[in-house]
Amino acid sequence: MSLDWIYYAISWILLTWHSAWDAIGVPVTAVIGTNWSWILAIVFLVVTVRVILFPVFVKQIKSQRAMQALQPKVKELQEKHKGDRETLQKEMMELYRKEKANPLMGCLPMFLQIPVFLGLFHTLRRLDPGKTQKTLYGWTVEQFDSAANAKLFSAPIAGKFGSTADELSRLGASGHTVKIVAGILVAIMIATTYLTSRQMILKTGWAEDPQQRMVQRLMLYGIPVSLLVSGSIFPIGVIIYWVTNNLFTLGQQQWVLRKFPPPATAKTGAAARTAQPARTGGLLGRKPAAQAPAATPAAPKVAGPKPGAKPMNPKKSRPAKRQG
């Protein structure tokens, strides 16, 4: 199956944003060794994709809320079918189907962005000034040459950490400059990838479902580690896309988690109630909570008659009324 439609779509978005920044007056020539119109075109490629995928992101959050609410039932099934993995998986899938929850929904936005990533990766790899054919998915020769010579701090956006001497020669770039810029960007890419997963797990907690927990561990540790190797073959423009996408995700998740906080589980609710007196005490400058009024002291008991004593008639002990 041909992927040309993806390459044409990515190229169209890039060229549209590049033309927009040129129209606004962003300098075409390098400033501080950077062609900002092309860098901004890549950044706003991210913005365009994320705006399109925002409804999917909302569904992802709702699915995660549903999965979190099902954790007590999942734990019950794990206790009930301990040692019977096949029955446990069947019961959990039935529970997810009944409650309309999808444990893989958390990865859907990332999977939908893979074609965009591959399209940009393929397009930037073909930005070789030494090529005789410079018509690239609707690009003009002038646009091709402009993008092929675009730089970030003197490092071509088509260059990569693992570029060969021949590739660097055709790009007219210094190997040391490309390695420094690409190396810094790869480090930022790994750190922000880890932080996006960590941010969500800290807010929602680790899943009880082994399958979902495995996905969480893959997102938190597996993907950042894999970037140590794969980052060396990514063009600098692709790494700019990835870092921008991670920063966008961090901001979007923070906004959603504040606006729609995760539901408190029984355990977290009890912890919050336990910690509440400490938070509301005088150390934070707040007035302590009003205490319940002290109980009214009980009336003193009247001593009974001594053993052997004659019982007293209460009527006789009263004083006689005075005559008027």
Side-chain angles (χ1 to χ4, degrees):
M1 179 176 144
S2 175
L3 297 178
D4 283 357
W5 67 273
I6 295 177
Y7 308 144
Y8 274 101
I10 298 303
S11 297
W12 181 82
I13 296 173
L14 278 175
L15 295 175
T16 300
W17 279 113
H18 179 257
S19 300
W21 294 117
D22 279 347
I24 291 172
V26 175
V28 178
T29 56
V31 178
I32 321 177
T34 303
N35 299 94
W36 292 107
S37 57
W38 283 110
I39 303 301
L40 288 173
I42 295 173
V43 169
F44 277 81
L45 168 64
V46 176
V47 175
T48 303
V49 172
R50 295 307 296 264
V51 168
I52 294 172
L53 293 180
F54 185 75
V56 179
F57 180 78
V58 173
K59 288 184 178 180
Q60 175 197 20
I61 296 297
K62 289 181 178 179
S63 177
Q64 289 172 338
R65 296 289 187 271
M67 292 297 298
Q68 191 175 10
L70 289 177
Q71 293 309 304
K73 293 183 179 180
V74 170
K75 198 167 185 179
E76 287 178 9
L77 290 176
Q78 289 172 342
E79 293 293 331
K80 181 179 178 181
H81 302 290
K82 188 179 293 183
D84 189 352
R85 188 174 183 82
E86 184 178 350
T87 305
L88 175 61
Q89 290 296 328
K90 186 185 295 185
E91 290 288 336
M92 285 199 301
M93 293 307 295
E94 178 63 23
L95 176 64
Y96 295 151
R97 186 194 64 78
K98 183 179 178 181
E99 300 293 338
K100 298 180 180 180
N102 187 351
L104 300 178
M105 187 67 187
C107 302
L108 184 59
M110 183 186 71
F111 288 147
L112 291 178
Q113 290 181 77
I114 289 177
V116 181
F117 171 81
L118 292 176
L120 182 63
F121 179 81
H122 176 81
T123 302
L124 293 182
R125 284 188 65 186
R126 297 192 63 182
L127 291 177
D128 188 344
K131 286 188 175 182
T132 54
Q133 184 179 0
K134 297 184 179 182
T135 52
L136 179 69
Y137 306 119
W139 297 50
T140 65
V141 174
E142 183 182 358
Q143 289 169 333
F144 183 97
D145 287 334
S146 176
N149 292 293
K151 295 178 174 60
L152 174 67
F153 302 121
S154 301
I157 62 173
K160 50 187 180 293
F161 188 88
S163 291
T164 64
D166 184 47
E167 290 173 339
L168 292 170
S169 176
R170 292 199 303 270
L171 291 170
S174 164
H176 293 296
T177 301
V178 171
K179 279 182 168 53
I180 290 172
V181 174
I184 293 173
L185 286 174
V186 168
I188 297 173
M189 176 175 64
I190 293 171
T192 52
T193 300
Y194 171 79
L195 289 175
T196 54
S197 298
R198 183 173 180 270
Q199 180 190 49
M200 184 61 72
I201 292 173
L202 285 178
K203 292 291 184 181
T204 60
W206 287 96
E208 296 288 346
D209 178 14
Q211 183 181 4
Q212 193 180 10
R213 179 171 288 204
M214 182 180 66
V215 172
Q216 287 179 320
R217 290 189 182 279
L218 175 65
M219 297 287 291
L220 185 62
Y221 302 115
I223 294 178
V225 170
S226 69
L227 293 176
L228 283 171
V229 179
S230 57
S232 63
I233 64 172
F234 290 165
I236 287 175
V238 171
I239 304 176
I240 294 171
Y241 171 87
W242 194 304
V243 170
T244 305
N245 187 61
N246 285 345
L247 295 175
F248 197 99
T249 301
L250 283 169
Q252 192 176 56
Q253 285 183 170
Q254 185 66 18
W255 177 81
V256 170
L257 290 171
R258 281 188 177 183
K259 193 170 182 63
F260 307 104
T265 60
K267 193 176 291 185
T268 56
R273 287 193 296 270
T274 303
Q276 188 175 0
R279 292 198 304 267
T280 56
L283 292 176
L284 295 180
R286 299 178 183 176
K287 293 182 180 180
Q291 297 180 353
T296 306
K301 295 182 178 180
V302 180
K306 294 180 180 181
K310 293 181 180 181
M312 294 180 62
N313 189 345
K315 293 183 179 180
K316 291 184 179 181
S317 61
R318 292 178 184 173
K321 293 183 179 179
R322 293 183 181 180
Q323 298 295 327

